[in-house]
Amino acid sequence: MKTINLAESTVRDLNQALHDQAIECTEREWEVLEPKGQHNIACGLDQNISVDIKGPTGYFCAGMNKKAHITIHGNAGQGVAENMMSGSVRVKGNASQAAGATAHGGLLVIEGDAGARCGISMKGVDIVVKGSVGHMSCFMGQAGSLVVCGDAGDALGDSLYETHIYVKGEVKSLGADCIAKEMRDEHIEELSELLNRAGVDEDVTAFKRYGTARQLYNFKVDNTAAY
């Protein structure tokens, strides 16, 4: 295992060393010590490597991830795993707002709570939150799945496209064009598979499903107040 201490090296040095693995992989396992909330740690990775970050991180940790498997042993700041393409990111704590924003693929697991706009404009990523999510989560969600084992704040799924949303707890309110939907066998199977991938043990029958009403896809003058 390669260890880099951010009290002795810069984030730029760390990221360059991780980016070099896409050209020639010399080390599959990496450990990052003393991150101390610094921003942009482990961004833009493009290799099947494992990165353990031993502490809290700042903004945009693991952004644009591709192939790598990143674990944050602490809380994560705004935009963790934003624009992720593949691989996985696990936060062993809470995540600030916009977790998984615009992400196209991969798996994001948040073992604590997530702030506002979790999964905003998500485009194929699967997000599993063991705690609760803040307001406007999954705003303009286009594809993928959001699983919330706790509660959801105001305006869940506002202006939703085709993301699948599963919530075990209470939903404070639904956003425009987001409605409760029937939980059929195929959805129970999908949810079970997502929870298994995330390593989360929950009763799938306790969840409710939410999705798009498909009323805002095209402009209709009668819906002006909802836009």
Side-chain angles (χ1 to χ4, degrees), residues 22-102:
I23 301 170
E24 180 183 3
C25 187
T26 59
E27 181 59 67
R28 290 286 181 187
E29 297 186 359
W30 294 72
E31 181 182 56
V32 180
L33 303 179
E34 299 193 61
K36 295 183 178 179
Q38 295 189 72
H39 305 317
N40 307 315
I41 295 174
C43 290
L45 306 192
D46 191 7
Q47 180 57 274
N48 182 16
I49 59 177
S50 171
V51 182
D52 269 356
I53 303 170
K54 302 291 189 175
T57 62
Y59 296 172
F60 305 118
C61 181
M64 301 178 289
N65 183 53
K66 188 176 179 182
K67 303 178 186 177
H69 302 281
I70 301 168
T71 302
I72 302 166
H73 296 267
N75 298 328
Q78 177 176 316
V80 63
E82 60 87 27
N83 205 33
M84 176 164 62
M85 305 302 289
S86 61
S88 66
V89 176
R90 180 177 294 269
V91 181
K92 289 184 168 292
N94 300 321
S96 187
Q97 64 181 351
T102 74

Side-chain angles (χ1 to χ4, degrees), residues 10-187:
T10 67
V11 172
R12 185 184 181 94
D13 291 337
L14 166 66
N15 286 342
Q16 186 62 64
L18 294 172
H19 291 172
D20 289 344
Q21 301 307 301
I23 301 170
E24 180 183 3
C25 187
T26 59
E27 181 59 67
R28 290 286 181 187
E29 297 186 359
W30 294 72
E31 181 182 56
V32 180
L33 303 179
E34 299 193 61
K36 295 183 178 179
Q38 295 189 72
H39 305 317
N40 307 315
I41 295 174
C43 290
L45 306 192
D46 191 7
Q47 180 57 274
N48 182 16
I49 59 177
S50 171
V51 182
D52 269 356
I53 303 170
K54 302 291 189 175
T57 62
Y59 296 172
F60 305 118
C61 181
M64 301 178 289
N65 183 53
K66 188 176 179 182
K67 303 178 186 177
H69 302 281
I70 301 168
T71 302
I72 302 166
H73 296 267
N75 298 328
Q78 177 176 316
V80 63
E82 60 87 27
N83 205 33
M84 176 164 62
M85 305 302 289
S86 61
S88 66
V89 176
R90 180 177 294 269
V91 181
K92 289 184 168 292
N94 300 321
S96 187
Q97 64 181 351
T102 74
H104 289 248
L107 174 67
L108 170 60
V109 180
I110 299 168
E111 296 190 358
D113 297 324
R117 300 177 181 85
C118 177
I120 181 172
S121 195
M122 55 191 285
K123 297 174 173 67
V125 66
D126 292 319
I127 303 175
V128 178
V129 181
K130 291 181 71 174
S132 299
V133 297
H135 65 272
M136 296 289 286
S137 287
C138 209
F139 172 57
M140 292 186 70
Q142 295 169 42
S145 299
L146 172 64
V147 179
V148 181
C149 300
D151 301 326
D154 275 321
L156 176 69
D158 190 88
S159 303
L160 188 67
Y161 287 84
E162 292 298 328
T163 297
H164 295 176
I165 303 175
Y166 302 97
V167 181
K168 183 179 180 183
E170 298 297 319
V171 175
K172 192 167 184 181
S173 69
L174 296 175
D177 212 41
C178 183
I179 60 173
K181 292 197 168 187
E182 179 186 2
M183 192 78 161
R184 300 191 297 270
D185 289 344
E186 63 264 32
H187 304 117

Side-chain angles (χ1 to χ4, degrees), residues 192-219:
S192 296
E193 192 268 338
L194 287 167
L195 291 170
N196 286 337
R197 284 173 59 203
V200 176
D201 184 16
E202 291 282 358
D203 177 9
V204 294
T205 63
F207 285 77
K208 295 178 181 178
R209 182 172 77 98
Y210 302 90
T212 178
R214 299 190 178 95
Q215 294 301 303
L216 299 182
Y217 277 18
N218 300 293
F219 179 79

